[in-house]
Structure formats: C-alpha cells, structure tokens
Amino acid sequence: MSAPTSAVGQLSLNGTNDANGATPQKRMILYAFMMGCSGHQSPGLWTHPADRSRHHNKLSYWTDHAKLLESAHFDGLFLADVLGGYDVYGGNLDAALSSGAQFPVIDPLLLISAMAAATTNLSFGITATTSYVHPYELARRFSTLDHLTNGRVGWNVVTGYLDSAARQFGAKNQDLHSKRYEVADEYMDVVYKLWESSWADDAVVQDPTKPIYTRPERVRQINHKGKYYESVPGPHICEPSPQRSPVIYQAGSSGPGMAFAAKHAEVIFIAAHKPEVAKKRVDAARSGAKEAGRDPTTLKVLALLCPIIGRTDEEAAQKYKDHLAHGSDDGALALFGGWTGIDLSTYDEDEELRATESNAIKSAVENFASQDPTVPKWNKKAVAEKIKLGGLGPTIVGGPESIADQLQDWVDLAGVDGFNLAYTLAPGTFEDFVELVVPVLKKRGVVWADYPQVEQPKTENVTDGPKEGYGVGEKVGITSREKLYGVGQKTFRSDHYASKFTWKAGQEAPALD
C-alpha cells in the first residue's frame, strides 16, 4: 500500500508552451486491466458481496464495463489471458480451482465485438500467444476485429509462461525462453507481411461499373519461407483494415523480452512497486527503442497499479482492510507459483522464506521485503498478503485527491505515460475511479475531457435498398494508434520496423526479404 503524496508535476507533451505560456500537462493514458475470470489480480475477491466478476461469462458484464469506461474517456480495456492453469502450488490445480484464481477463464477475443458494438471510441488490448496459434490464423482474427471495431484493437504479444499450457498442445513443457522469442520474432515477420504487404492500400476499389471488387494485380502472395514457419504463401485472406496491423503491446521484462519490445512494441506494460524502480525499466525500454532506430519518446509505457478509492483517505483505508479480508491466500500462492515457478506449499506456515536454501525464493521474497520493510517475517502468509490485492503491481490507497497525486508522482518520477489499472472489485474499483478520480484528473488537465473528434466516412450515394444502417453511415471513433500518436496516424509510424513492409497506394510492392 503506497502512502499518499502531494507533489503534482508539470510535464510537457511536446516541449512547447501553450498560448498562455504555461507548460502543458502530459496526458495520462488510462487502461482498465481485466481477464475473463473471477478476481483476476485479486484472487478470492469474488466472495465480496459487491463483486460481480463471477459473472465474467455473461455478455452484459463486459458491455456494461465497456460503457462505463467509455463514459470516463478511458483509452481502452486491456484483456489478459492464459491457456493453462496455475498448478505449481502443491503440484496441482486445487488451490486455483477452489479460489477461482484465473481458472476457469474464457477467450478474450470473443468478447470484443459485443463491447465494440456498445461503444464508439474505447480501444481493446487483447492478449494472444505466438506459441500455439499459427500466424496465418491469428492475422485473420485481428484483421477481422480491426474491421469490426473501426480500428480499435491492439495485440499484446506473449510467448506464454505456463508449462500447463504447453502440455495441452502436446509438449512436456515450454520451449526455452530464448527460443520462444526467436520463434516470436519470425512470427511477427509473417503477420507483418500478411497485414502490411500482401494487399496494396488501393487494392480494393468496389467499382460496380467495371465491375471489379479487388484489383488482382494489387494483391500478392508473401511466400514466407523461414526456420520455424517453412511455408506461408499468403496472400492474407482479409483486405487491409483501418490500422492494417493492430497496435503492438508487450510486457516482457527479460533480456529477450525487452529486445523484442524495442523492435516491435508500441506500448509496453511494466509492474514495479516503486516509481524509482519503474524508472529504470522505462529508461531501459526507451534506450532499446532508440538503439532499434526508433524515436524513444513514441514508445508508450503503462504501469500496473491497483487503486482502492474512498471519498476520504480514511474510507479508502477501511476499504483496503475489508477487501484484504476477502482475498484468498491459496489463490495468491497459486498465482505466485505460476508467475515464478516456485511452489511454497512445502514450507511451514511460519517459516522465514528469506532463510531458505533456495536462491529463487530468496530473490523473490527479498524483492517483496525491499518494498515493505515493516513486515516482521516473510512467511507464506506475508507473501499472500502482499500479492492478493492487485497481484505483482502496487496497490495505491486514498481519497480522490490522494490517488490523483500518486498517479501524478508515477508520471513525474518514473516517466510512465499512463496506467493499466487492476481492480479489487468489479465493477466497484472502476466505478469509484470514474466517479471520484477522473473528475480530479480532468480538472488538472491530465486526461481527456472528451475523445478527439475524427473525420467520419464519406456519405454513400445509395440509389437502392436501405439508405442507412446495415453498415451505411456507421459512426467511427478514434483508433487505438491515433490515441498514441495523434489523429491521422492510423498505421505504423515510419520508424517502426514493420513500416518497411507496407504496400502503399500507387507504389510498387516492397521487397519482403
């Protein structure tokens, strides 16, 4: 739990002053962090009478959340996912099953169309792995969603971290970490070629006078032949979508993960309990982007935070105690086991974990101890208490002004661009944030008062059939990439690796080697 602070810094968007001579505030990017399960980062909180996450398999649960977030002009909703259960703790799924810790879990991709239909501007970040889905199939899924949302999707690229998932696909365990990223790098080449290079921007003409739908000479095979994907001929089965490629998110913190992010990611997510620790991650990420030939300021960094909000600091502190009491120790230790590979079930309840012979346990627990030196003994209970509200990210507690101050501190001290906000109660955490904190942030000028307006599609000259509806005159909102880089920048920036693949209107097809 972070202590409230009061410093509110001023960060420039572009290094220039506004018309009044004041330095404009840096806008905070706001995402809600959810998953198709109960509790998500706060295992056991489904037992709280105000929580509704047990209804994660009901469509209205998702559409109501989407409408709530759009009402407060959030950038988007980010959806985590796994393809296996947390079975390290105790060597089985019992703790995860009994507590509902990210098991059962539903497919996030199938939620997007409904939420998009209920909103106009809210974006959606979707986790999907490069380990178990063929790139040709994944490319169609994301192109489809980008079409149906009018450009409001992003892909959180993961290689997986659970051996339990690998076993479902016929392997004993996952490939080595470095190999998974090597495979992922080739995977990205395949999907970039499909999204960016198999169709020209001017391939689809839909000219009934000729008649011709697509110009065949402006579509080509990609004929990818690689080490891990020996033959992907193409072309992409979908025409170019509004963004062509989804916004690329990434959350890896290892050496290979950060190298991957430097080359591919437009947004990265980090989890660090203190701004000064986060700053090191931010600086390293931007340095990597610069080395990759990109403008480092265009790599957006979002910090994982879990806010517990009251109308006063005292009310928030009471909420924290109440929510902590509903958390599940077993669920937290199951998640810890999956995240770290460490099984704490074999240790005594009161055993000091910093005194074990396991270097992995010592390292993990010493990290917790450095964050909270007030804990007298780091036993299993203490580890569970540390992570059962908000997971591996920090939990910040306070009234509206205090929460706004703490968010501003993270922007000022860590240099992050915004936040991926986890919840203790769904929808309670987000309702509190929308009702109590967003007005403060808007008053300070650090979040949008409204979504930027974008040009609407040209009016169709309809001579027969329905004059509106059925796709005619559909209202569009701001795309995911425009939220990052400004209205008009729907596709990759020119300094992004994938931009070299883009087949532009009126131009020859670029080389694919």
Side-chain angles (χ1 to χ4, degrees):
M1 184 169 93
S2 300
T5 55
S6 59
V8 180
Q10 301 279 328
L11 290 179
S12 173
L13 286 166
N14 54 17
T16 60
N17 293 336
D18 64 17
N20 297 319
T23 302
Q25 297 259 47
K26 179 180 181 179
R27 183 181 78 84
M28 294 179 187
I29 297 171
L30 296 178
Y31 268 76
F33 189 32
M34 301 185 73
M35 190 174 183
C37 62
S38 73
H40 188 201
Q41 297 277 302
S42 302
L45 266 293
W46 62 269
T47 63
H48 195 288
D51 188 71
R52 298 292 178 267
S53 65
R54 66 186 181 278
H55 296 306
H56 64 269
N57 54 3
K58 301 292 188 289
L59 202 55
S60 63
Y61 175 84
W62 296 101
T63 55
D64 287 347
H65 268 101
K67 288 185 284 189
L68 172 67
L69 297 171
E70 179 153 275
S71 74
H73 309 112
F74 265 61
D75 288 74
L77 169 58
F78 180 80
L79 291 161
D81 192 32
V82 290
L83 287 171
Y86 290 79
D87 61 358
V88 172
Y89 185 67
N92 56 56
L93 278 172
D94 290 358
L97 284 166
S98 61
S99 65
Q102 297 189 16
F103 207 92
V105 58
I106 61 176
D107 188 338
L109 273 81
L110 301 182
L111 306 172
I112 305 305
S113 293
M115 291 192 287
T119 57
T120 303
N121 289 283
L122 190 73
S123 290
F124 305 98
I126 312 152
T127 299
T129 180
T130 58
S131 295
Y132 310 119
V133 181
H134 193 279
Y136 180 79
E137 183 178 9
L138 180 136
R140 181 169 77 154
R141 291 177 181 176
F142 273 96
S143 288
T144 300
L145 287 176
D146 203 54
H147 280 298
L148 296 180
T149 63
N150 294 310
R152 291 186 280 147
V153 296
W155 173 25
N156 177 39
V157 185
V158 298
T159 65
Y161 59 89
L162 295 174
D163 285 340
S164 62
R167 292 195 294 272
Q168 304 304 324
F169 294 88
K172 184 177 180 181
N173 46 41
Q174 297 185 101
D175 286 332
L176 292 174
H177 191 258
S178 57
K179 181 183 177 182
R180 297 203 307 273
Y181 273 105
E182 187 178 322
V183 173
D185 207 47
E186 183 181 334
Y187 195 109
M188 299 306 291
D189 271 0
V190 177
V191 293
Y192 289 153
K193 291 173 185 178
L194 291 168
W195 285 327
E196 297 288 329
S197 218
S198 63
W199 294 64
D201 283 330
D202 53 2
V204 177
V205 292
Q206 297 176 347
D207 187 345
T209 65
K210 300 232 171 153
I212 185 167
Y213 194 99
T214 300
R215 298 163 62 192
E217 73 276 10
R218 302 298 283 170
V219 179
R220 63 168 174 170
Q221 293 182 316
I222 62 167
N223 290 320
H224 177 87
K225 298 183 184 300
K227 179 178 181 180
Y228 299 106
Y229 298 97
E230 294 181 0
S231 177
V232 185
H236 189 26
I237 201 167
C238 294
E239 66 185 271
S241 64
Q243 297 185 119
R244 270 196 175 263
S245 297
V247 168
I248 304 299
Y249 305 96
Q250 210 268 341
S253 58
S254 65
M258 293 192 72
F260 184 90
K263 181 178 180 180
H264 299 287
E266 296 168 280
V267 180
I268 66 168
F269 299 113
I270 63 171
H273 276 78
K274 295 180 180 179
E276 52 267 34
V277 176
K279 188 177 190 318
K280 295 177 182 178
R281 289 283 314 280
V282 173
D283 290 347
R286 295 209 166 107
S287 176
K290 185 176 182 180
E291 290 176 8
R294 300 168 59 191
D295 178 350
T297 66
T298 63
L299 178 62
K300 308 300 181 182
V301 184
L302 306 185
L304 172 63
L305 294 179
C306 182
I308 297 180
I309 308 152
R311 295 185 181 279
T312 64
D313 289 351
E314 293 74 21
E315 181 181 288
Q318 186 56 47
K319 276 189 180 183
Y320 176 84
K321 293 178 182 178
D322 176 45
H323 295 182
L324 196 64
H326 283 83
S328 168
D329 287 6
D330 279 352
L333 294 175
L335 294 181
F336 178 81
W339 291 334
T340 64
I342 297 170
D343 180 8
L344 294 183
S345 68
T346 60
Y347 294 87
D348 294 336
E349 295 300 318
D350 202 42
E351 186 170 353
E352 171 56 76
L353 296 173
R354 288 177 291 178
T356 69
E357 294 182 359
S358 167
N359 288 330
I361 293 177
K362 284 181 180 178
S363 176
V365 178
E366 284 290 356
N367 183 43
F368 289 144
S370 68
Q371 299 158 16
D372 191 352
T374 65
V375 176
K377 179 182 283 190
W378 281 94
N379 53 18
K380 289 196 292 186
K381 177 70 173 177
V383 171
E385 292 277 301
K386 186 66 180 173
I387 64 176
K388 67 185 178 183
L389 296 183
L392 293 177
T395 300
I396 60 174
V397 181
E401 294 286 344
S402 172
I403 293 292
D405 288 348
Q406 292 178 71
L407 295 177
Q408 191 66 56
D409 274 353
W410 277 80
V411 171
D412 292 350
L413 301 177
V416 299
D417 298 285
F419 304 95
N420 207 20
L421 298 174
Y423 65 89
T424 52
L425 298 183
T429 298
F430 300 123
E431 287 180 325
D432 287 343
F433 196 89
V434 168
E435 178 187 355
L436 301 175
V437 180
V438 167
V440 176
L441 297 176
K442 286 188 175 183
K443 185 177 180 180
R444 296 183 182 188
V446 294
V447 297
W448 276 326
D450 197 356
Y451 292 109
Q453 298 300 302
V454 298
E455 185 179 353
Q456 296 301 302
K458 294 180 180 178
T459 303
E460 293 186 42
N461 182 24
V462 177
T463 59
D464 195 3
K467 296 293 191 293
E468 58 184 23
Y470 301 94
V472 176
E474 183 167 304
K475 183 180 179 182
V476 303
I478 186 171
T479 67
S480 293
R481 195 168 279 111
E482 287 176 306
K483 290 187 179 84
L484 302 177
Y485 305 126
V487 173
Q489 187 66 54
K490 295 181 181 180
T491 57
F492 283 122
R493 285 173 44 87
S494 60
D495 60 353
H496 190 281
Y497 167 78
S499 67
K500 70 179 184 178
F501 294 115
T502 306
W503 191 358
K504 297 179 180 179
Q507 295 186 10
E508 294 297 316
L512 293 176
D513 297 332

